[in-house]
Amino acid sequence: MTSFMWVQAIGILLVFLVFVGLMMTRKLPTILALPLMAILFAVIGGVPWMSNDPEATTIAKTILSSGSMRLSGAIAGLVFGAWFGQILNKVGITKSIIRKAAELAGDKPMLIAVLFFATASIIFSAAGGLGMVILVGTIVIPIMLTAGISQFVASIVVISAVGVGALFNVSNWAVYVDVLGLSVQTIADYTLVAALPLILVSLAMIIFYIQRDGKGRKAWAMPTASGGEGKKVPAFALISPLVPVILVFAFKLDIVPAVVIGAILLTWPKRPIHVLSSALVEGIQDVAGAMALMIGIGILLNSVMAPQVSALISPLIEAVLPTNPLMYILFFTLLSPLAIYRGPLNVWGLGSGIAALFVSAGMTPVAAMLALRVVSNVQAVSDPTNSHNVWVADFTKSDINDILKKTLPWMMVAVLISMVLGSFMVF
């Protein structure tokens, strides 16, 4: 690169660091930071605002217009996933699953925690978002606290389940399809590599903290009836949250048709028109913030992949690109905390752009996808900026930074195990 190009590259790096700092300190929300950063990257790289050449890369057309639509497939998957989650709620399946788990556990704190972790993971595999976390949390947390489980353990049961559920929630996979060009089946093939270590480490963490300091107050201000009322549903319907996952894994369906089939099976023949239409509107409301984030991610992706910007960033990426299994393991394990506080490895922020640059610098799309999914476990469970972490900590009256400090080492162990297993598959 020429001297001027190095000056441009340093300018982009400085902008990057400033915006990371603004997002980490919550001075600037991510939904605004991503498109602003994308525009500044393009300006520093010399991308013109407009051009008479229809093939030219421009800020107006390529980065803003095309970029805002780049993750349209992922946004559609997100909407359909939220729709399915609302249907589960409206037909009474979510509360019935939780009620059945509580009946099976009785008054045994350890069994209650483990069963609720498994139950919530299954529910979150069908529907993510803060709305579903609140729905599940307001039911299971009072039951756990009443059984003598501490506020902290009750918190990590729900938060860990969010992390596990996110890995199996097929609506989340569309991000990797759009960003890295992978098929849904390829993503499915590597899901257990990221999920099994997280499940086992989360269970070990929950059991450890219950044995060490899991005893809490046996009282709760909410009426206990909140967890015991709801619509009666047939026993076979309790596996319905897994229907889209089964259709994707076993029948090789794409995300949207799998969710649509699951939705129709759930609502037929009970008032399908009313349930399907109202659930769609409420589901879109649940994921409005995530949709805005995806628009920003698409704009940022088109910015960093613009020829002028990519030519400046690629040498920096190539300098740190892991080229062998050991470096692959160490790089992503040691740097996995960069997924929290909206850091550069956060898939719902800069991480998607970084992954695309890794691929352009020579890493295989599968290796980039696996690393990003594994590192996202740290973000899903430990990140204090997650809306679900904030809500759970407030609801249980726990310290959100205490959750970060106590869960981060466990999540890094899960990342290490997954990266070791994954290295044998992608190298």
Side-chain angles (χ1 to χ4, degrees):
M1 295 198 306
T2 65
S3 299
F4 181 66
M5 291 178 69
W6 276 111
V7 171
Q8 289 175 296
I10 293 171
I12 288 176
L13 181 60
L14 290 175
V15 169
F16 171 79
L17 294 174
V18 168
F19 273 84
V20 169
L22 289 173
M23 286 185 286
M24 290 177 65
T25 56
R26 303 189 188 185
K27 298 290 179 59
L28 186 66
T30 307
I31 57 174
L32 294 180
L34 296 181
L36 287 175
M37 185 163 45
I39 293 171
L40 287 175
F41 282 178
V43 170
I44 294 172
V47 179
W49 175 257
M50 296 179 68
S51 173
N52 292 326
D53 182 2
E55 302 299 320
T57 298
T58 64
I59 295 175
K61 181 180 178 181
T62 310
I63 295 174
L64 293 178
S65 297
S66 299
S68 63
M69 298 299 294
R70 175 159 182 163
L71 297 188
S72 56
I75 292 172
L78 191 71
V79 170
F80 277 91
W83 179 46
F84 186 70
Q86 279 295 332
I87 292 170
L88 287 176
N89 180 30
K90 287 182 176 294
V91 299
I93 288 175
T94 300
K95 291 185 179 180
S96 294
I97 293 173
I98 295 168
R99 187 189 308 111
K100 182 62 67 175
E103 291 171 356
L104 291 173
D107 60 353
K108 303 176 181 65
M110 185 80 71
L111 187 56
I112 287 175
V114 171
L115 276 178
F116 278 164
F117 167 70
T119 301
S121 296
I122 293 172
I123 293 171
F124 295 143
S125 72
L130 179 61
M132 184 57 66
V133 174
I134 293 173
L135 173 65
V136 172
T138 52
I139 300 172
V140 303
I141 289 173
I143 296 173
M144 286 190 282
L145 295 178
T146 302
I149 296 173
S150 72
Q151 292 97 316
F152 169 72
V153 173
S155 299
I156 64 172
V157 167
V158 176
I159 291 172
S160 299
V162 172
V164 174
L167 290 172
F168 288 100
N169 191 327
V170 294
S171 64
N172 291 334
W173 299 0
V175 174
Y176 304 99
V177 174
D178 285 354
V179 172
L180 300 174
L182 295 169
S183 69
V184 172
Q185 188 55 46
T186 299
I187 299 170
D189 291 340
Y190 287 87
T191 294
L192 290 180
V193 178
L196 279 180
L198 177 63
I199 293 170
L200 295 175
V201 169
S202 295
L203 283 171
M205 176 176 65
I206 291 167
I207 292 170
F208 171 80
Y209 282 119
I210 285 180
Q211 291 179 334
R212 197 188 76 168
D213 58 1
K215 295 298 180 182
R217 61 186 180 186
K218 284 202 174 186
W220 186 244
M222 285 183 59
T224 56
S226 64
E229 296 177 349
K231 303 173 184 178
K232 297 292 184 181
V233 298
F236 68 85
L238 300 183
I239 66 168
S240 53
L242 297 177
V243 168
V245 180
I246 293 170
L247 291 175
V248 169
F249 273 87
F251 298 97
K252 319 300 183 188
L253 282 183
D254 284 333
I255 294 164
V256 171
V259 173
V260 170
I261 291 172
I264 293 173
L265 290 175
L266 278 179
T267 55
W268 190 266
K270 295 181 179 180
R271 297 193 305 157
I273 301 301
H274 171 73
V275 173
L276 291 174
S277 58
S278 61
L280 180 58
V281 173
E282 293 175 27
I284 292 174
Q285 292 172 344
D286 286 343
V287 296
M291 290 167 62
L293 268 180
M294 285 190 172
I295 292 172
I297 290 171
I299 292 172
L300 180 63
L301 279 171
N302 274 21
S303 178
V304 298
M305 297 306 294
Q308 300 94 323
V309 178
S310 180
L312 300 173
I313 298 178
S314 291
L316 303 178
I317 297 294
E318 291 170 3
V320 298
L321 189 72
T323 55
N324 59 67
L326 180 59
M327 291 303 299
Y328 181 70
I329 294 167
L330 293 176
F331 182 89
F332 286 105
T333 300
L334 295 177
L335 297 183
S336 59
L338 293 179
I340 62 177
Y341 290 110
R342 304 295 172 185
L345 292 183
N346 189 319
V347 68
W348 296 103
L350 304 175
S352 296
I354 296 294
L357 288 173
F358 275 146
V359 171
S360 67
M363 180 178 284
T364 65
V366 170
M369 176 273 296
L370 182 61
L372 206 61
R373 292 192 77 191
V374 168
V375 169
S376 71
N377 293 339
V378 172
Q379 182 265 327
V381 176
S382 301
D383 191 349
T385 67
N386 289 332
S387 57
H388 58 265
N389 286 53
V390 173
W391 180 84
V392 169
D394 179 69
F395 191 71
T396 61
K397 308 306 177 188
S398 302
D399 184 347
I400 195 168
N401 291 311
D402 193 41
I403 293 173
L404 166 64
K405 289 184 289 186
K406 290 184 177 179
T407 60
L408 181 59
W410 294 88
M411 292 304 104
M412 291 184 69
V413 170
V415 169
L416 174 61
I417 297 170
S418 290
M419 294 307 302
V420 171
L421 295 174
S423 68
F424 288 103
M425 302 176 69
V426 299
F427 279 92

